[in-house]
Amino acid sequence: WTRINHKRGWLLVSGCLTADTYIPSESGLVRLGDLPSTIVPYPIDLSLGGGSVATAVWRNLPQPTIKLRTMYGFEIEGTPDHRVMVMDGDGLADWKQFDQLAVGDKLLLKYGHNMWGGKEFDTEDAYFAGLYLAEGCTTGARFTITTTEPETIDFLMRRGFIHQKGSYHYRKTDHNLLSTLKSFGIDPTWKARTKEIPAGIFVASKPVVVAFLQGLFDGDGCAHVRGNVTLASASRTLLKQVQQLFLNFGIVSGLTQKVDTLKGKKFVSYNLSCGSWSKKFYDLIGFRLPRKQGRVTNLPTSHLFKTGLAPKRIIRPRIVASVYGQRPWRTPSPRYIRGGFAPGRLLVEPDPVWK
């Protein structure tokens, strides 16, 4: 904070974050830029122990910013004087400005806000919206969903979809269904690399968010043989938004990128992994497909202490992550984040440590 001696009293001015920063609030996850610029109480999750009330929202003129990125792929961008909480060499929490941070500093990332919006949608429509983002496309009001899963096929048939012979496609023309998807905030013109989580999901109630994520993960999600839950997409924006939704549930996930070559052309894909937090996904969200949900029994009992590294002291309930510098971002190879844990660069404490 910077103190300015004003004739009417003290004015405390802090650094600012960019407008696309998500803030947990009583209205769900809201973008900082969407908050009203008024001096009125607005309940948001600012404190370390729970919700607080923000008494003012300020919009400043354009200023230089610094972007921080952790090994888990979390990003935050703000002015050089904005402060974040870090862990010092003695394992104690302290505040540092953005321009005081260096590569290797350990940020405290808060999760488990459990603050949801009040906007209600039909949960079956929400499930379809997630499934559509994963497996669907539209031509006008004609929907096409591609799947081979028996439970998904049954769900589509009950909603009036018709199987296209000689293919894995299921189609239906429905203007009302198109209007329903638009009410969530889905743009039918989105392509694979431009897909996003629709705006309505961020301000929806918890059961709606759960249903939407179930549809998305039943389509594009994967439950690996050993139980690890991942989500693949060509859209980095979509995965970063899922990462924010996960934090609200109390799930910490890692975002990585992969560059492949096909017919001489390079293309980039992204992967979101729950790692050692997969059990929380199964318990709090889960798959509707029994084939995927059944993989929960394959999860190892512990990921943390198998690495040979133990936390110096208990930090609850948040994670500690190392900061990348200003050099171009290189995502750590999956072999370095096995089980959601990056030895030497990232310290994660799963639930059993503090329970």
Side-chain angles (χ1 to χ4, degrees), residues 252-266:
V252 180
S253 54
L255 179 61
T256 59
Q257 70 178 20
K258 181 181 180 182
V259 180
D260 290 314
T261 302
L262 180 64
K263 295 182 180 180
K265 293 184 179 181
K266 291 185 177 181

Side-chain angles (χ1 to χ4, degrees), residues 96-110:
K96 275 190 178 182
Q97 294 184 175
F98 272 26
D99 57 4
Q100 296 173 335
L101 294 169
V103 175
D105 282 349
K106 297 177 179 179
L107 302 181
L108 300 185
L109 176 65
K110 192 169 188 295

Side-chain angles (χ1 to χ4, degrees), residues 131 135 145-150 152-153 156 168-170:
L131 184 66
E135 306 284 18
I145 306 293
T146 304
T147 183
T148 59
E149 299 288 351
T152 304
I153 293 172
L156 293 174
Y168 300 119
H169 304 316
Y170 294 80

Side-chain angles (χ1 to χ4, degrees), residues 234-282:
S235 172
R236 185 167 182 264
T237 297
L238 184 142
L239 294 189
K240 283 177 62 63
Q241 292 172 330
V242 173
Q243 199 176 37
Q244 291 298 317
L245 291 174
F246 275 176
L247 286 180
N248 210 11
F249 284 96
I251 301 171
V252 180
S253 54
L255 179 61
T256 59
Q257 70 178 20
K258 181 181 180 182
V259 180
D260 290 314
T261 302
L262 180 64
K263 295 182 180 180
K265 293 184 179 181
K266 291 185 177 181
F267 63 93
V268 180
S269 60
Y270 302 93
N271 187 73
L272 191 68
S273 174
C274 294
S276 57
W277 302 78
S278 295
K279 182 63 165 61
K280 271 201 168 185
F281 175 90
Y282 286 110

